[in-house]
Amino acid sequence: MIQFAVLSGFLLAALAPLFHRWFGDRTSFVLAVFPAALALWFLNQLPAVMAGETLVLSMEWVPSLGMSLTFVVDGLSMLFALLVTGIGTFVLIYAGGYLKGHPDLVRFHLAILAFMVSMLGLVLADGLFTLFVFWELTSITSYLLIGFNHTDLEARKSARQGLFVTVAGGLALMAGLAMLGVAGGSWSLAELNAMDDVLREHDLYTPLLICLLLGAFTKSAQFPFHFWLPNAMAAPTPVSAYLHSATMVKAGIYLLARLQPGLGGTEMWTVTLSVVGALTMFTGAFLAIRHTNIKKLLAYSTVMALGTLTMLLGIGTEGAMIAFVTFLLAHSLYKGALFMVAGILDHETGTKDVTAMGGLRPLMPITAVIAMVAALSLAGVPPLFGFIGKELMFESVLDASAWRALVVLLAFSAAILTIAVAAIIALRPFFGQRRQTPRVAHEAPASMLLGPAVLATLSLLLGLLPALAGTGLLTAAASAVVGAPVEVKLSLWHGINLPLLMSVVSLVLGYLLFQRWDRVRARLARLDPLIARGPESGYDAFMDGVVVVSEWQTRILQNGYMRNYILVMIVTLIALIGNSLLLRHSPSWPSTSMSSSTRRSWSAPWCWAPCLPPSPARGSAPWSRWASWASPSP
């Protein structure tokens, strides 16, 4: 069963040291067989999914509680599963060349396989509990991957930041999923999505939606939680390529898409996702143009893409859902290729700064071609698949119902900035005057070229023949997001219309911005003090506050004095007992007009003194006095 096949990845991760002992530097290529085999299994199920079938694979998990481990394979989970396993195969092969000879390669294999299986389990899970478990596993394993270079202070800091932000969102998600299950009376995502307006009209809709959005927004780096994602570039490039193209940051997007049929369509959903997504899209593109580090450029462009996907889900029309799945696939292809190209440049030249590169095309011709094709797809230039995704995105924002003018303005501005970023990545390192780099540049080994070459080729092939994806996989994926059958017909040419005009104008303005990039970047540097006071400064202030509170409570409560510990325990015990008595029982104090006999017979469950026998008279036998008090009155 597929459950055993997927979960066996955790066992394979645990056996990574043994594989490394057997195969040495070839371990990455051997381990790549695992995701490749899973990808082939999913491809074998693709015809059934394209025909409209939903595969439900279930096995008992905790029979005594009626819980089962259920995986659902429909169009949406199939799209994500193929991205996770397919790109994961190329990432492992790429890592075999990029990290060859690294002393901690075994630890990398263990963490990347566990991360891969966690993400795969997340997109296949049908139960809310199962989804949450895999959700948190992606946070923990991504923490290990971001902090892979554990001797680097920045890597450790970035790993902690990513962990704290995503796990804090995970706590909100846990509350949201609990309320979702209570509101719908089911813990199955498939059943919840089939409830029509039951969830939207429930009293818990607003709080559960707020909690779910907080979980998704933190995971997928939506404004104002976007700052952790570029800092995650402290991870090795294979991790960055995988995390940005197919896994971690797409988890929140997947959750929103999965819940669209059951929770989408309300004013709160539409306005929140449309505005937050558009703002994130523009913020990512704007911050990207300020950087010269090629991985930072790509990271902020990922923030832009994640904002675009969220915005499309917020718009919610059928056309927007078609644009969503198309843009999702296009982004995964070109972003995976571009991050691997960035790693090649860093690996072969010894620098990540694009201003320190130039004239590398004769020395690295294959890398230059791959970078050009993938960057053209990022910019949305025909005949690349990214052009089709951008055209559909423009059509969707023009049909937006909430905050239409703002959404169109931000989308158009972000497109201009993204085109400039694509030109910087594609042209600056490979053309112009030859610059001296820390290492003598040369072409990368085949293991590092295979992945980006295949992904870039797919971007070109799907652009020239969009029906290959549109009439099959994307139709099934869009239908799953909408919750009803949708027909996806993609074509490279839609005629002369407003979206095409917006594309042409954005291409011209974006290229002009690229030509003046150095001057623009120098002027934008004046905004550094203002940007430094952004959301990340709030995170830093919060963490500083945590340290201050920790130091205070340590000084007051954990100062090493036994008498303080005993006092704290006694006070805590009294407070807990008193709170329990007052909350669980309603005290009613006896009236002062009561007679002594009435007062003696009165007792309350919470009261101790009246329940005790009266003080015995001096000289009387203890047992006789007790017996006379305890016996009932005649």
Side-chain angles (χ1 to χ4, degrees):
M1 296 177 66
I2 187 60
Q3 293 95 327
F4 291 109
V6 171
L7 297 180
S8 65
F10 290 115
L11 176 61
L12 186 63
L15 295 176
L18 185 60
F19 276 80
H20 189 78
R21 184 180 304 172
W22 289 344
F23 301 104
D25 291 337
R26 298 188 300 275
T27 304
S28 295
F29 311 120
V30 174
L31 294 177
V33 174
F34 172 72
L38 289 177
L40 290 175
W41 186 89
F42 285 113
L43 286 173
N44 190 48
Q45 309 304 316
L46 185 57
V49 173
M50 289 167 52
E53 296 183 23
T54 298
L55 306 179
V56 180
L57 311 166
S58 182
M59 59 178 274
E60 290 188 346
W61 185 12
V62 188
S64 59
L65 299 178
M67 296 176 62
S68 62
L69 179 62
T70 303
F71 285 168
V72 172
V73 183
D74 60 1
L76 182 62
S77 56
M78 174 66 78
L79 174 60
F80 273 90
L82 286 175
L83 292 175
V84 171
T85 55
I87 296 180
T89 301
F90 294 125
V91 165
L92 279 171
I93 295 173
Y94 178 88
Y98 186 88
L99 295 173
K100 184 177 181 179
H102 197 289
D104 291 325
L105 186 58
V106 177
R107 184 160 52 86
F108 170 82
H109 288 144
L110 191 153
I112 196 73
L113 285 171
F115 178 64
M116 181 186 300
V117 176
S118 301
M119 186 65 194
L120 192 56
L122 190 156
V123 301
L124 295 175
D126 177 61
L128 300 185
F129 294 118
T130 310
L131 184 146
F132 179 74
V133 169
F134 283 116
W135 181 282
E136 292 300 274
L137 283 174
T138 60
S139 295
I140 296 171
T141 50
S142 66
Y143 165 76
L144 299 176
L145 290 169
I146 296 171
F148 177 72
N149 296 318
H150 57 89
T151 58
D152 183 1
L153 179 62
E154 284 300 314
R156 297 202 303 271
K157 179 180 177 182
S158 298
R160 285 197 307 269
Q161 185 183 77
L163 181 68
F164 288 161
V165 172
T166 56
V167 168
L171 294 176
L173 175 70
M174 179 175 63
L177 292 176
M179 287 187 284
L180 180 62
V182 171
S186 173
W187 303 103
S188 167
L189 282 168
E191 294 178 3
L192 292 169
N193 280 330
M195 291 183 177
D196 295 328
D197 293 330
V198 173
L199 296 175
R200 300 184 186 93
E201 296 174 355
H202 199 279
D203 293 339
L204 290 175
Y205 178 80
T206 298
L208 73 85
L209 183 59
I210 291 174
C211 290
L212 292 174
L213 291 182
L214 284 174
F217 286 175
T218 51
K219 198 77 161 184
S220 290
Q222 299 298 297
F223 183 89
F225 308 108
H226 61 279
F227 56 86
W228 76 265
L229 182 56
N231 292 335
M233 292 303 95
T237 299
V239 175
S240 302
Y242 198 35
L243 187 147
H244 282 250
S245 62
T247 53
M248 174 78 166
V249 296
K250 296 280 179 66
I253 301 298
Y254 168 80
L255 179 65
L256 294 175
R258 177 57 73 193
L259 295 174
Q260 170 80 20
L263 301 179
T266 64
E267 183 178 2
M268 183 179 179
W269 174 282
T270 300
V271 172
T272 303
L273 268 66
S274 297
V275 174
V276 171
L279 185 59
T280 303
M281 175 176 56
F282 175 77
T283 301
F286 173 75
L287 294 178
I289 206 72
R290 298 174 55 252
H291 289 275
T292 61
N293 185 306
I294 190 169
K295 290 184 69 175
K296 290 277 189 177
L297 283 163
L298 291 171
Y300 279 111
S301 70
T302 297
V303 174
M304 179 279 301
L306 296 172
T308 303
L309 294 169
T310 301
M311 177 191 67
L312 292 172
L313 288 171
I315 293 173
T317 62
E318 184 175 303
M321 297 303 97
I322 295 173
F324 169 81
V325 295
T326 305
F327 193 93
L328 174 70
L329 178 58
H331 173 262
S332 298
L333 295 177
Y334 67 66
K335 188 53 62 72
L338 287 174
F339 261 110
M340 293 184 194
V341 167
I344 290 173
L345 290 172
D346 177 29
H347 191 269
E348 304 303 328
T349 65
T351 180
K352 298 182 181 72
D353 191 342
V354 293
T355 61
M357 306 177 196
L360 295 175
R361 182 172 54 87
L363 304 177
M364 308 173 70
I366 300 176
T367 304
V369 171
I370 295 172
M372 181 67 70
V373 172
L376 288 174
S377 188
L378 168 63
V381 176
L384 278 301
F385 195 56
F387 168 75
I388 299 175
K390 188 175 75 171
E391 289 285 285
L392 294 175
M393 183 269 290
F394 279 147
E395 289 182 8
S396 299
V397 298
L398 290 172
D399 292 334
S401 59
W403 298 69
R404 180 174 178 270
L406 176 64
V407 169
V408 172
L409 176 62
L410 293 177
F412 183 68
S413 302
I416 296 172
L417 295 168
T418 302
I419 290 164
V421 171
I424 293 167
I425 296 170
L427 302 178
R428 197 67 181 254
F430 301 102
F431 296 89
Q433 183 180 0
R434 174 78 171 90
R435 295 177 180 271
Q436 294 297 323
T437 54
R439 297 176 188 166
V440 179
H442 55 82
E443 196 60 88
S447 60
M448 296 177 65
L449 291 171
L450 176 63
V454 171
L455 297 177
T457 302
L458 286 175
S459 294
L460 178 59
L461 181 63
L462 293 179
L464 294 172
L465 301 171
L468 291 177
T471 57
L473 178 59
L474 294 187
T475 294
S479 299
V481 178
V482 174
V486 173
E487 186 176 1
V488 177
K489 292 184 178 180
L490 302 180
S491 61
L492 190 61
W493 175 252
H494 293 271
I496 299 176
N497 51 23
L498 184 54
L500 179 63
L501 179 61
M502 294 174 68
S503 292
V504 173
V505 174
S506 63
L507 284 171
V508 174
L509 295 179
Y511 184 74
L512 292 176
L513 178 60
F514 161 71
Q515 295 280 43
R516 294 163 175 78
W517 177 51
D518 292 324
R519 281 179 288 176
V520 171
R521 193 175 74 254
R523 293 182 180 180
L524 290 178
R526 301 173 185 174
L527 299 176
D528 287 351
L530 179 62
I531 295 174
R533 298 180 181 178
E536 188 171 5
S537 65
Y539 166 83
D540 292 334
F542 174 78
M543 297 305 297
D544 292 340
V546 170
V547 173
V548 171
V549 172
S550 301
E551 291 176 347
W552 172 84
Q553 71 89 21
T554 302
R555 185 172 61 254
I556 300 300
L557 302 178
Q558 295 177 310
N559 50 20
Y561 292 99
M562 182 61 69
R563 61 176 178 270
N564 283 2
Y565 296 164
I566 296 175
L567 178 62
V568 168
M569 287 189 290
I570 293 175
V571 170
T572 302
L573 179 63
I574 293 173
L576 291 175
I577 294 175
N579 178 71
S580 178
L581 292 174
L582 290 174
L583 291 181
R584 296 189 180 187
H585 305 283
S586 300
S588 56
W589 294 97
S591 172
T592 56
S593 61
M594 289 183 181
S595 63
S596 60
S597 60
T598 304
R599 190 177 298 115
R600 188 165 54 245
S601 62
W602 174 88
S603 65
W606 57 272
C607 184
W608 296 348
C611 304
L612 298 177
S615 301
R618 185 181 301 273
S620 58
W623 52 87
S624 61
R625 291 193 296 272
W626 177 269
S628 63
W629 177 85
S631 61
S633 301

